[in-house]
Amino acid sequence: YLKDAFEKIGAVAEVDGYGNLIAKMDAKGCSGKSPILLSCHADTVLPGKGIEPVIEDGVIRSKGDTILGADDKAGIAEMIEALKPAEVRPPVEIAISRQEEVGLLGVKNLDFSKISAKIGYLLDNDTLDTIVIGGPSYFAIDINITGKAAHAGMEPEKGINAIQAAAKAIAALKLGRLDDNTTANVGVIEGGMIRNGVPDKASFLAECRSLDHEKAANLAREMTETIEKEVMAIGAKVDIKVNNLCQAVDIPEDSHSVSVSKKALKTVGIDASTTFITGFTDASIYNNKGIEMAVVGIGAKLEHSTDEHIYIEDMIKAKNMIIEILRLSAE
């Protein structure tokens, strides 16, 4: 769908081996300029099927039983609507990734041999008045517990309750915001098959993240040790897989992409400031790959919820910001 949409506005588009979209557009109104990269992700979170957008009083939202998907469909829409009328632009490279929400898998597998830009703009921040210049190290921790099945009424003493082991482990973890830059969470737990059986299987999914890589790594290690200790204490077995999905990165406040973004936002009446977030974005991978990538706003609100919405007025501001980024990059 997006390949066709970008080809309709004059881009040469292709899908790489992992399913990401890569497109290119020639310079317009200038010559001899280096290319810039514009990027978004195309996947959304659940519940994201059967979305019915409703427009009321200048606000777009879903009917209420799904997300809207403005994260990051709004960024893609704003990019396309900006590229259409832009009279002046340098060569533009476009990357639309898949599987961002489940661990930046798309951008990690992007065919970077097809990208030559060294400066870029990721359209994936919610607020228009902030520019994200740093993201966290993120560790996904998957836990599978094996106990021993038994009849819960006749001979429970012969069993080892895997759900109880998981509960003890989770209760012993430090969760939530641990400091200004560090968080930990357990987001999913599963186990058991029948009410009257001592369950022999349970699993849960945990995570931790920090703007300090060493702190995140140490926290992941501490969480793993705590889980192992609590599970083994009641005689169950545990298998833990830890995956460092992205590494903390930041770009200077006076970097080129940030300066251009601030100037562009001023033209739509916004005096933007820089910020760090503990949510991860594709920019973590781009910056670690040597592409300076600022994360600019799209105007979405309450993402990842069924109350997600976006003001059309903010989408127009974001579109005009992108047009100005293109113009400034062509100077």
Side-chain angles (χ1 to χ4, degrees):
Y1 175 88
L2 290 176
K3 181 176 183 291
D4 180 61
F6 278 100
E7 287 175 343
K8 282 180 178 177
I9 64 169
V12 176
E14 63 178 304
V15 177
D16 72 7
Y18 197 75
N20 303 296
L21 180 73
I22 298 174
K24 297 186 178 183
M25 299 182 76
D26 292 334
K28 186 177 180 182
C30 72
S31 61
K33 299 298 179 182
S34 299
I36 64 168
L37 175 65
L38 298 180
S39 185
C40 295
H41 66 87
D43 61 318
T44 63
V45 296
L46 298 173
K49 291 186 177 180
I51 297 171
E52 293 186 46
V54 176
I55 302 176
E56 186 176 333
D57 297 327
V59 183
I60 310 173
R61 56 181 87 241
S62 78
K63 287 185 71 174
D65 52 354
T66 68
I67 59 162
L68 177 62
D71 174 17
D72 192 19
K73 294 179 186 179
I76 299 171
E78 291 157 2
M79 184 195 301
I80 291 173
E81 291 303 310
L83 286 167
K84 277 197 252 183
E87 291 297 325
V88 180
R89 64 171 186 248
V92 179
E93 297 177 341
I94 297 154
I96 310 293
S97 68
R98 62 186 292 253
Q99 293 187 315
E100 187 265 1
E101 297 287 6
V102 293
L104 312 181
L105 303 184
V107 71
K108 285 182 177 179
N109 290 280
L110 183 72
D111 187 348
F112 279 92
S113 70
K114 300 182 183 298
I115 303 293
S116 61
K118 296 302 179 185
I119 299 288
Y121 303 87
L122 181 69
L123 314 176
D124 193 23
N125 183 25
D126 50 0
T127 58
L128 288 167
D129 61 356
T130 59
I131 300 164
V132 177
I133 61 172
S137 284
Y138 179 90
F139 287 82
I141 308 170
D142 296 5
I143 302 95
N144 289 289
I145 297 170
T146 302
K148 185 177 180 182
H151 192 292
M154 300 293 290
E155 46 188 11
E157 61 279 353
K158 291 185 178 180
I160 299 174
N161 193 310
I163 291 178
Q164 182 184 29
K168 284 181 173 291
I170 293 169
L173 295 174
K174 298 174 184 176
L175 301 177
R177 183 166 295 283
L178 306 185
D179 60 42
D180 288 344
N181 299 327
T182 309
T183 63
N185 187 56
V186 173
V188 176
I189 182 169
E190 297 177 336
M193 295 180 65
I194 54 174
R195 185 193 299 269
N196 62 346
V198 176
D200 65 342
K201 300 290 184 185
S203 63
F204 62 96
L205 304 180
E207 65 161 51
C208 65
R209 58 183 86 193
S210 179
L211 295 175
D212 182 316
H213 179 73
E214 287 303 314
K215 186 178 289 186
N218 290 336
L219 179 57
R221 193 176 306 112
E222 178 185 317
M223 292 173 72
T224 299
E225 291 171 354
T226 298
I227 293 165
E228 288 177 341
K229 176 184 175 183
E230 296 296 329
V231 170
M232 294 172 67
I234 69 167
K237 298 177 181 178
V238 63
D239 177 67
I240 303 175
K241 291 183 171 59
V242 180
N243 188 3
N244 182 197
L245 294 178
C246 63
Q247 187 163 330
V249 66
D250 62 88
I251 59 176
E253 288 198 30
D254 61 352
S255 61
H256 181 80
S257 58
V258 174
S259 298
V260 168
S261 299
K262 284 184 175 181
K263 289 177 183 177
L265 283 162
K266 277 187 179 294
T267 66
V268 296
I270 296 173
D271 189 11
S273 59
T274 56
T275 189
F276 294 84
I277 61 170
T278 47
F280 58 75
T281 71
D282 282 348
S284 294
I285 307 303
Y286 285 123
N287 281 302
N288 277 310
K289 287 281 189 179
I291 302 173
E292 181 193 295
M293 180 76 74
V295 189
V296 294
I298 58 173
K301 301 181 185 298
L302 301 179
E303 311 98 306
H304 293 206
S305 78
T306 55
D307 293 320
E308 182 185 21
H309 61 281
I310 190 165
Y311 285 78
I312 294 174
E313 179 185 3
D314 286 339
M315 293 190 73
I316 293 170
K317 288 180 180 178
K319 179 202 73 170
N320 290 334
M321 169 196 66
I322 299 166
I323 292 173
E324 186 65 9
I325 286 173
L326 294 170
R327 189 189 70 80
L328 290 168
S329 300
E331 284 188 346

